[in-house]
């Protein structure tokens, strides 16, 4: 008992000495028709690891963050971010079969770790203020279990909490705002062979409050109410007539800059449009390729981060080689005032934007957009094409599909050159795009990522789901068959 009291007294002294630090340094947890009918670097973030992002995969685990500290005269774990933010020794609720990751941050300078005996899970020990470690396990049994600090006397001094593993899959959380996610299958059919023609593209800029995460909303600025904007498909030689209408309820001017266009600002100089008005710009599609378009009204990065980006495909004469399925995916960032994973309404933080410190990295506009809401789906033996672009506005993507190799990559989204073959990861800069093709050789769940993998813990993941047996000659558990 004397040892416990001595440890508690020492930890309390350290906690008091750093009380101001702890208060100042909290660590985070966590369609309208778009065109006329046709014939056919590591992020420099100030926030810390996020908490409580619920997915059930080793690459997209359910994440909680705990910080050691002193509360009510005891040594404790304090929840960081999400529903557990500020709670003492919070109950951690997960679901059967989920992969769970717990981040531990040292908040007051005493030595700590975190252990869950029932899952044989243990973190490294953390010694100095701000040091951190993690543990991970698969929740393959249900019930309530204990997590605790194994340093002598710390568990008795108060560092103990409970983790509840609930039977069955995680239920869908009720929406708190309209969905803004662009379905990755929402794109026009291939054009194939036809002569050049005039193609009308209708874009409407809409500002709306949309769902960012399960319990989080954000004021998105969009083309046609979704992120990304509509996929525009034309062929080389077409005349593209763009009608940009700014919704009358908008507060901001908006415009559009097509990277596929040759002329002032990609059309932005002709399309600066006030609320309730409409502007028209026409350009010739001279070069085949996959190109980004985005709003180009000051502050340009502000308009882009809020969701105002999309892709236009200029098909080469005769079209692209045929595949079984095509998908439309774009990556972007959000710079929010509150930390990643915090419930409620998030607002944009301009200081974070200009200093390039995003809280969120996203596919198609929202956390879980391509995992929970709209996962990509295919069948074994099918060929898949992904049109992938980066709206940004700031970060390059290292696009990768875990468990697949790209058979063909149109480097830089250039469709006038031969594709390269056998590629694992593709670098795509902000304002850039790529086209990747691959054949599905076996069933399974393939995870779309940016291979700057820390971004997984800030919302950036997607699923390609392929039904069927997952144990075969291409990959199976255990020894090679002889």
């Amino acid at each position: 008992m004397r040892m416990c009291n001595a440890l508690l007294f020492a930890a309390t002294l350290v906690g008091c000495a750093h009380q101001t630090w702890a208060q100042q340094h909290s660590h985070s947890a966590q369609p309208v028709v778009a065109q006329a009918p046709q014939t056919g670097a590591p992020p420099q973030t100030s926030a810390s690891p996020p908490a409580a992002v619920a997915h059930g995969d080793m690459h997209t685990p359910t994440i909680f963050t705990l910080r050691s500290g002193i509360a009510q005269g005891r040594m404790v774990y304090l929840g960081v971010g999400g529903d557990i933010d500020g709670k003492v020794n919070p109950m951690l609720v997960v679901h059967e079969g989920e992969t769970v990751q717990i981040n531990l941050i040292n908040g007051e300078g005493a030595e700590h770790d975190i252990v869950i005996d029932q899952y044989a899970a243990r973190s490294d020990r953390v010694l100095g203020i701000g040091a951190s470690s993690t543990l991970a396990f698969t929740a393959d049994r249900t019930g309530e279990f204990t997590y605790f600090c194994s340093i002598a006397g710390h568990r008795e001094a108060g560092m103990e909490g409970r983790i509840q593993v609930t039977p069955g899959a995680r239920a869908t959380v009720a929406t708190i705002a309209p969905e803004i996610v662009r379905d990755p299958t929402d794109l026009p059919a291939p054009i194939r062979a036809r002569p050049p023609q005039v193609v009308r593209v209708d874009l409407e800029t809409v500002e709306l409050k949309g769902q960012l995460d399960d319990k989080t909303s954000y004021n998105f600025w969009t083309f046609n109410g979704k992120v990304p904007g509509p996929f525009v498909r034309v062929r080389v030689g077409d005349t593209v007539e763009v009608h940009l209408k700014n919704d009358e309820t908008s507060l901001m001017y908006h415009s559009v800059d097509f990277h596929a266009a040759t002329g002032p600002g990609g059309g932005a100089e002709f399309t600066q449009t006030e609320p309730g008005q409409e502007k028209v710009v026409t350009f010739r599609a001279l070069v085949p390729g996959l190109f980004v378009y985005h709003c180009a009204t000051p502050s340009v990065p502000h308009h882009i981060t809020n969701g105002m980006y999309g892709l236009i495909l200029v098909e080469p004469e005769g079209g692209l080689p045929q595949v079984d399925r095509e998908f439309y995916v774009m990556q972007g960032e959000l710079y929010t005032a509150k930390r990643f994973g915090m419930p409620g309404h998030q607002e944009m933080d301009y200081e974070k934007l200009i200093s390039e410190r995003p809280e969120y990295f996203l596919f198609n506009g929202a956390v879980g957009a391509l995992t929970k809401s709209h996962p990509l789906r295919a069948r074994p033996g099918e060929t898949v094409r992904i049109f992938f672009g980066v709206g940004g506005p700031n970060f390059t993507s290292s696009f990768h599909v875990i468990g697949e190799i790209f058979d063909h990559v149109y480097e830089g989204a250039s469709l006038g050159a031969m594709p390269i073959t056998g590629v694992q990861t593709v670098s795509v800069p902000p304002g850039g795009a790529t086209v990747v093709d691959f054949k599905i050789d076996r069933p399974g769940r393939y995870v779309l990522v940016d291979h700057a993998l820390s971004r997984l813990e800030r919302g950036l993941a997607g699923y390609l789901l392929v039904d069927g047996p997952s144990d075969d000659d291409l990959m199976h558990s255990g020894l090679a068959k002889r």
Side-chain angles (χ1 to χ4, degrees):
M1 178 59 94
R2 288 181 179 177
M3 179 179 292
C4 294
N5 289 338
L7 285 168
L8 180 56
F9 179 71
T12 302
L13 288 177
V14 173
C16 292
H18 298 284
Q19 183 176 14
T20 302
W21 180 93
Q23 292 172 347
Q24 294 176 350
H25 293 75
S26 59
H27 295 262
S28 79
Q30 57 155 207
V32 179
V33 175
Q35 68 182 87
Q38 301 181 26
T39 57
Q44 301 292 320
T45 59
S46 63
S48 297
V53 182
H55 303 290
D57 184 274
M58 69 179 66
H59 294 101
T60 54
T62 300
I63 301 172
F64 301 94
T65 298
L66 301 174
R67 186 176 67 245
S68 66
I70 305 296
Q72 300 172 346
R74 300 186 300 149
M75 302 172 69
V76 297
Y77 296 107
L78 297 169
V80 179
D83 292 337
I84 66 171
D85 194 57
K87 293 182 179 179
V88 173
N89 297 329
M91 172 73 80
L92 308 181
V93 179
V94 301
H95 286 254
E96 184 179 13
E98 290 183 342
T99 299
V100 182
Q101 175 181 320
I102 301 177
N103 305 320
L104 174 63
I105 300 170
N106 191 313
E108 31 55 84
E111 183 178 7
H112 299 295
D113 64 7
I114 185 167
V115 174
I116 305 174
D117 276 343
Q118 294 88 344
Y119 283 102
R122 176 186 294 269
S123 74
D124 286 338
R125 294 186 175 186
V126 291
L127 302 176
I129 291 176
S132 61
S133 185
T134 66
L135 64 78
F137 62 93
T138 300
D140 56 4
R141 68 190 84 171
T142 60
E144 280 199 10
F145 310 104
T146 302
Y147 63 85
F148 60 91
C149 181
S150 70
I151 307 299
H154 287 201
R155 184 176 186 179
E156 294 79 1
M159 297 193 77
E160 178 180 280
R162 306 287 286 173
I163 180 166
Q164 182 182 75
V165 182
T166 302
R170 186 176 295 269
T172 302
V173 177
T175 58
I176 62 170
E179 184 187 75
I180 53 81
V181 172
R182 175 75 58 185
D183 191 314
T185 64
D186 183 12
L187 69 173
I191 292 173
R192 308 298 181 205
R194 67 154 171 79
Q197 65 183 39
V198 176
V199 177
R200 172 170 171 153
V201 176
D202 289 291
L203 298 176
E204 183 175 14
T205 58
V206 181
E207 302 169 9
L208 76 160
K209 181 179 179 180
Q211 182 119 342
L212 172 58
D213 202 348
D214 288 340
K215 299 178 181 180
T216 308
S217 60
Y218 184 82
N219 287 334
F220 292 91
W221 300 348
T222 71
F223 291 108
N224 294 27
K226 299 289 183 183
V227 180
F231 191 95
V232 179
R233 198 165 199 157
V234 301
R235 61 145 287 174
V236 68
D238 278 348
T239 298
V240 185
E241 182 184 283
V242 181
H243 291 247
L244 181 71
K245 180 181 179 182
N246 191 348
D247 186 84
E248 62 183 7
T249 63
S250 295
L251 298 177
M252 310 296 295
Y253 272 70
H254 295 295
S255 61
V256 63
D257 166 4
F258 281 92
H259 290 191
T262 301
E269 291 193 18
F270 299 108
T271 57
Q272 298 295 329
T273 310
E274 63 183 291
Q277 300 299 306
E278 180 177 321
K279 297 287 181 68
V280 180
V281 64
T282 300
F283 66 91
R284 287 280 303 280
L286 300 177
V287 179
L290 181 67
F291 302 94
V292 168
Y293 66 85
H294 60 83
C295 185
T297 300
S299 162
V300 176
H302 186 180
H303 286 248
I304 292 174
T305 192
N306 278 2
M308 302 195 77
Y309 49 83
L311 292 178
I312 174 171
L313 175 66
V314 182
E315 290 192 7
E317 187 173 353
L320 292 169
Q322 185 172 347
V323 294
D324 295 308
R325 295 182 187 270
E326 294 184 329
F327 299 104
Y328 173 28
V329 178
M330 290 196 77
Q331 179 172 325
E333 311 125 30
L334 278 183
Y335 300 79
T336 56
K338 292 190 288 187
R339 302 186 304 270
F340 179 96
M342 295 296 290
H345 186 69
Q346 286 274 27
E347 296 179 297
M348 202 277 292
D349 186 316
Y350 186 73
E351 183 178 351
K352 289 181 182 178
L353 174 64
I354 61 174
S355 57
E356 302 183 16
R357 295 183 287 114
E359 291 289 342
Y360 291 82
F361 287 91
L362 305 165
F363 287 139
N364 288 26
V367 175
L370 303 186
T371 55
K372 295 179 288 186
S373 302
H374 300 281
L376 289 63
R377 297 183 183 274
R379 297 187 180 92
E382 291 185 328
T383 50
V384 166
R385 174 172 293 142
I386 299 177
F387 298 106
F388 179 78
V390 178
N394 295 317
F395 284 84
T396 294
S397 175
S398 300
F399 183 58
H400 177 74
V401 178
I402 297 174
E404 265 296 347
I405 299 168
F406 302 137
D407 297 328
H408 302 104
V409 172
Y410 295 84
E411 200 168 17
S414 170
L415 304 182
M418 292 295 292
I420 57 176
T421 60
V423 178
Q424 59 187 322
T425 301
V426 185
S427 182
V428 183
T434 191
V435 182
V436 300
D437 298 347
F438 55 96
K439 182 180 178 182
I440 302 293
D441 294 309
R442 71 187 303 281
R445 175 162 59 183
Y446 300 89
V447 185
L448 280 65
V449 297
D450 177 342
H451 218 286
L453 288 174
S454 294
R455 298 172 189 177
L456 276 168
E457 300 189 17
R458 294 197 174 274
L460 194 60
Y463 291 156
L464 169 60
L465 304 179
V466 183
D467 293 333
S470 58
D471 201 29
D472 57 23
D473 289 339
L474 287 179
M475 180 181 286
H476 61 271
S477 177
L479 299 175
K481 298 177 181 178
R482 292 177 172 84

